[in-house]
Amino acid sequence: IFSVDPATGRLASAGWQRGSVDYVRDFAVDASGDYLLAANQNAAKLAVFKVDHQTGHLTLAGQPLPVPASPAFVGVVTLPR
């Protein structure tokens, strides 16, 4: 997790998110920036986290979802309304 200095744009380490994930192979953030989806390859699960826009910290949004195979990619598709 990184914070961004608004004056310089420089990144600084703000922490780690290890809960509910074993081996994150890939991740994606939705278009709103509200959710981060993590492909947990070793556990064959998909974890969804709510993003705190002020701190950048992540909170697990429900239990990780089992998937049929060890995921190596996760993507977000925005559908038209």
Side-chain angles (χ1 to χ4, degrees):
I1 300 171
F2 292 92
S3 63
V4 180
D5 182 318
T8 65
R10 181 167 275 177
L11 297 176
S13 178
W16 296 88
Q17 177 67 41
R18 293 294 301 160
S20 304
V21 293
D22 176 30
Y23 181 80
V24 176
R25 177 62 182 213
D26 193 32
F27 68 91
V29 177
D30 78 318
S32 71
D34 290 339
Y35 294 96
L36 181 142
L37 291 77
N40 193 346
Q41 187 175 27
N42 289 351
K45 292 184 179 182
L46 178 70
V48 179
F49 295 91
K50 177 81 173 134
V51 178
D52 182 312
H53 289 267
Q54 295 300 315
T55 65
H57 289 244
L58 305 174
T59 303
L60 190 62
Q63 294 299 312
L65 306 166
V67 294
S70 298
F73 171 81
V74 63
V76 178
V77 176
T78 302
L79 300 174
R81 293 185 173 232

